[in-house]
Amino acid sequence: MNDQITGILLAAGRSTRFGSNKLIKKLQSGNSIGLESAETLSASVDNLIIVVNSLKDETSEMFLEKGFRVLAAENANLGMGNSLKSGIEISIDSLGWIVGLADMPFIKLNTIYMIKEKVLEGAKICAPFLNGVRGHPVGFNRSLKNELLNLDDSNGAARLLSNHYSEIVALSTTDEGVVHDIDVPEDL
């Protein structure tokens, strides 16, 4: 795995604002929100890990049925940072990571490819920006491995991004999917 970019899809949330498990809800394409997100990220990276809360629920079953590599995050209930750290730990030899959110199914494949290329070219962090707003997914170079392994709170990598703000390679895009997450049913 040491010559690869690993995708980490964070899917350990509880969908509290949505009111039910949003990741299994169908989109107009017929695919579920979670599977659409997983398939797009998977097509863009060399290796994909989907981080879930439990291996014994309908979310993990959905991903496992499609043959995805699924990991139950230790302490996922403590927040996104713990989920992300779990994905980094089992892909520690990667050249970098592209971290996506399972409730963002509208990101275009080409956007993720461009982020991957920037990380491979040496960008410490690469993130898409739509009209000045930072979106997802975010690419991290292996030079940030130790900082990623120290994440443990509910803010995911927000503090790391803040600490390295001047080093973020901003990928200007017209891809509205980078800022369109699904939190409530009306977001569909």
Side-chain angles (χ1 to χ4, degrees):
M1 191 184 308
N2 59 0
D3 61 346
Q4 298 179 357
I5 297 293
T6 297
I8 299 176
L9 188 67
L10 301 177
R14 296 198 174 136
S15 303
T16 51
R17 288 178 282 176
F18 197 86
S20 62
N21 186 348
K22 64 184 169 184
L23 297 184
I24 64 170
K25 298 296 181 195
K26 299 285 185 194
L27 297 166
Q28 288 181 347
S29 68
N31 230 350
S32 70
I33 293 168
L35 284 177
E36 189 79 18
S37 300
E39 289 174 0
T40 303
L41 186 55
S42 178
S44 310
V45 296
D46 304 304
N47 179 41
L48 178 66
I49 300 162
I50 301 174
V51 183
V52 297
N53 194 31
S54 166
L55 290 178
K56 298 179 186 212
D57 64 16
E58 58 193 348
T59 300
S60 60
E61 289 173 11
M62 171 185 69
F63 292 126
L64 288 168
E65 284 176 9
K66 293 293 186 175
F68 287 110
R69 182 177 181 193
V70 178
L71 167 71
E74 185 177 327
N75 298 319
N77 58 326
L78 298 177
M80 200 181 302
N82 285 289
S83 298
L84 176 52
K85 180 168 62 173
S86 294
I88 300 294
E89 286 172 341
I90 68 163
S91 61
I92 200 73
D93 292 330
S94 294
L95 290 176
W97 299 271
I98 297 179
V99 180
L101 305 178
D103 67 351
M104 295 187 74
F106 304 116
I107 299 168
K108 295 179 181 167
L109 192 60
N110 191 49
T111 301
I112 304 171
Y113 276 130
M114 290 188 291
I115 293 168
K116 178 182 175 181
E117 287 305 310
K118 295 293 184 189
V119 171
L120 287 171
E121 291 169 3
K124 205 174 233 188
I125 301 172
C126 181
F129 282 77
L130 176 70
N131 300 323
V133 176
R134 185 185 59 79
H136 289 89
V138 177
F140 297 95
N141 185 283
R142 72 174 286 105
S143 64
L144 294 171
K145 172 180 67 173
N146 291 332
E147 289 179 70
L148 289 164
L149 288 171
N150 285 316
L151 296 174
D152 63 1
D153 60 24
S154 62
N155 295 319
R159 185 176 33 142
L160 190 150
L161 290 167
S162 178
N163 291 344
H164 292 279
Y165 189 80
S166 65
E167 298 170 278
I168 296 174
V169 173
L171 179 68
S172 183
T173 184
T174 58
D175 180 357
E176 294 180 1
V178 303
V179 295
H180 184 176
D181 61 337
I182 299 173
D183 290 326
V184 294
E186 293 76 28
D187 293 334
L188 289 170

